[in-house]
Amino acid sequence: MENNNNGVITAPRIEKVLYTGKTHTTGGREGKSSSSDGRLDIRLSSPGSTDPGTNPEQLFAAGWSACFMGAIGIAAAKSKVALPTDFYVDAEVDLGLTGVAYFLQARLNVHLPGLSTEVATALVEAAHQTCPYSKAIHGNVKVETNLI
């Protein structure tokens, strides 16, 4: 991260794009979204609605938890730690209000059975430094990480 003269922190410029996810969304929270490659085609509905479909908070939670698991894998490989085959990450993303402004807050519940608390904590901390989702929301979203 870089700090410019105005005190604004900006992310470094990407030198090599590895992948670009492209979607087309219509109708907002009550619409539909599809990817340019046809692999994603979903209906959207507002949180708490009985309408079929998912919502942006669930999609963010799914993407972040999958990415975070990959980052834990990178940290484990660097530390020469064998990950348990049954490890998982449950992500919870809250949509809430402060006054009239909307905000997100989140929890990552990480299950690394068989690893000591010290090793698991070190892997989680390293994963937050690697995971693009964690870096994207750092300082913008209240995040709680729990070992379960």
Side-chain angles (χ1 to χ4, degrees):
M1 302 257 181
E2 300 171 7
N3 189 344
N4 70 18
N5 293 336
N6 297 327
V8 176
I9 296 175
T10 58
R13 180 180 206 90
I14 291 178
E15 295 174 2
K16 179 182 178 184
V17 174
L18 302 175
Y19 176 77
T20 301
K22 296 178 185 179
T23 61
H24 178 76
T25 303
T26 58
R29 287 186 174 267
E30 301 297 329
K32 62 177 269 178
S33 189
S34 57
S35 62
S36 60
D37 63 5
R39 297 178 79 183
L40 177 74
D41 188 14
I42 56 171
R43 293 181 66 179
L44 302 168
S45 61
S46 293
S49 167
T50 58
D51 294 338
T54 188
N55 58 64
E57 292 74 27
Q58 290 173 332
L59 292 168
F60 187 81
W64 188 16
S65 59
C67 184
F68 199 76
M69 287 185 74
I72 288 174
I74 291 168
K78 286 181 181 176
S79 300
K80 298 186 183 348
V81 172
L83 288 174
T85 57
D86 57 345
F87 100 91
Y88 61 83
V89 175
D90 289 337
E92 301 172 0
V93 176
D94 300 325
L95 170 64
L97 285 170
T98 297
V100 296
Y102 291 96
F103 292 95
L104 298 176
Q105 67 182 19
R107 287 164 304 288
L108 289 179
N109 300 309
V110 181
H111 183 63
L112 289 162
L115 298 184
S116 71
T117 301
E118 295 78 24
V119 169
T121 299
L123 292 177
V124 165
E125 288 174 0
H128 274 302
Q129 300 306 310
T130 302
C131 176
Y133 282 75
S134 292
K135 289 190 268 188
I137 66 170
H138 180 76
N140 298 309
V141 175
K142 180 183 173 207
V143 176
E144 179 182 311
T145 306
N146 304 302
L147 289 174
I148 56 171

